[in-house]
Amino acid sequence: MRIVVVGGVAGGMSCAARARRLDEGAEIIVLERGEHVSFANCGLPYFVSGEISDPASLLVQTPSSLRAALDLDVRTGHDVTALDAARKTVTVATAAGVEEISYDALVLAPGAQAARPPIAGLDSPRVRTLRTVDDALALRQRVEGGARRAVVLGAGFIGVEAAEALAHQGLETTIIEFAPHVLPPLEDELATLVTGELRRLGIQVRTAVAAEAIESGADHDVVVLSDGTRLDADIVLLSVGVRPDTAVFEAAGAACERGALVIDEHGRTSLPDVYAVGDATVSVDAVTGARRPVALAGPANRAGRLVADAILRPATARPIPAAVATAIVRVGQQTAALTGANRRVLSEAGIPFHTLHLHPSQHAGYFPGSSQIHLIVHVRVADGLLLGAQAVGADGVDKRIDVLATAIRAGWTVDELIDLDLAYAPPYGAAKDPVNMAGMVGENVLNGTLRLWYAQDLGEISASAFILDTRSAAEFATGHLPGAWNIPHTELRARLDDVREAAAGRPVRVMCQSGVRSAIAHRVLTQAGFDSASLSGGMLTLRGALGDRAGEVLVTGAEPREPAPVG
């Protein structure tokens, strides 16, 4: 049997390696357009930063090592230009000319190309991308060649990593994002924390603005933004997303959606004996059922293995699972990670959900080095099914998101998190791990013990409710909502008549620093007959949601405890 794999790296090489382990007699040919067939895409920004010093470290395997270990016929510099599904052949352009290669089974792993928006001047030689080893080498060469200023177009995961890498090398770096905040899949209140860390690194962050043109000069380029700003740049890094590299195969008749190859649960395309994996394929979202490409190395790698099983062991091959899309990125001293669906995706899918905000320590608070994890968990209103989670923090973020990704994959409800028996010792966690705490808060919300209000509803709440701040007077003075009353939660039971008089029949909306004290106050108020709700995540979440507007909205200093105005 001859298996031809088009494209290496994660999906293609995983499929080829698994196929060899299953069938020692198969002829396996891997056709790779570039020079490198198996390299660490995710390590490229760290080579640019200098943290990875040797470019050879980026090469996971070479054609010779793959031949020696797995007897794979790996052919670099081979660009597939046509597919004839009826004749079961691919046409390949090489330095030696054009050839035709037949197959019994064909696996397409062409990956994706950097998206190129309609920006005038994008062909300037100072504009680079960061998707291959050659890209990284060229960018590192420019950095070491005296570049002083860099503009990164796009603040997704790669854009943020690249901006940090360039700043680490001493370049004056600006990152541009058309969306309202960096890392667009991240919730607003967490993205603010990432923006703050980028600024701490000395990176200028410009959001809700686009690059309109790149003017090439003799010794540098100028990036012109939609708001009229002009930025000098020795390097312009293009990182505004990717598009599936599927034109050849779509022209051959393979069914595509939005340019991505449509596959079934075993990776089969619409063409006979033609399979596909990786960034160029349509994935089904595990939470919402939405169909879209998922450009992540982990799912591509695992899918490659399963496609090999489908080809060589079809009777027992497991289906490719729907994507949960777990991702993580380091930003300076912070880590941001997410899994499952975010607020926007859930709203677009019409799924009613609760959002839980928590700010627990990553390990026992009394042990040195304790720091907060800012955690968001989305759960389905109907039954508490886990839908998504995100976190930002200096330590312990990866551990919690991995646990929550596992729970989402398992189809758990939020209350099942309470019973997880997670590793605990003071340097590593707490007796009630942040994941356990998310379960407890979620259960309270579902059974009505806790009722939440959200920072996103501040305008409506300010106009219609009595806001009660249960922090200490000193905390209150550092910044509070206009018109809010300050009664520390320890004094509330003795002040219920004051609250009743001041609220004058209005709902009472309680808040504190992180949501813990206001939850206690909420129980007191509810059992005293008040219409009460607690601000999810407290002032920490509110500041994150307000972002740069926090200084305009919040009032500092003590305020008289007088009734807030009605209406």
Side-chain angles (χ1 to χ4, degrees), residues 188-190 192 455-456 540-549:
D188 299 357
E189 53 268 43
L190 295 184
T192 298
Q456 286 75 16
L540 288 171
T541 294
L542 178 62
R543 284 186 177 276
L546 292 173
D548 291 340
R549 296 177 51 240

Side-chain angles (χ1 to χ4, degrees), residues 219-243:
D219 58 356
H220 70 275
D221 285 358
V222 175
V223 180
V224 182
L225 304 184
S226 55
D227 64 1
T229 303
R230 299 172 64 85
L231 301 171
D232 293 341
D234 304 305
I235 294 172
V236 179
L237 183 68
L238 182 63
S239 184
V240 296
V242 297
R243 58 178 180 81

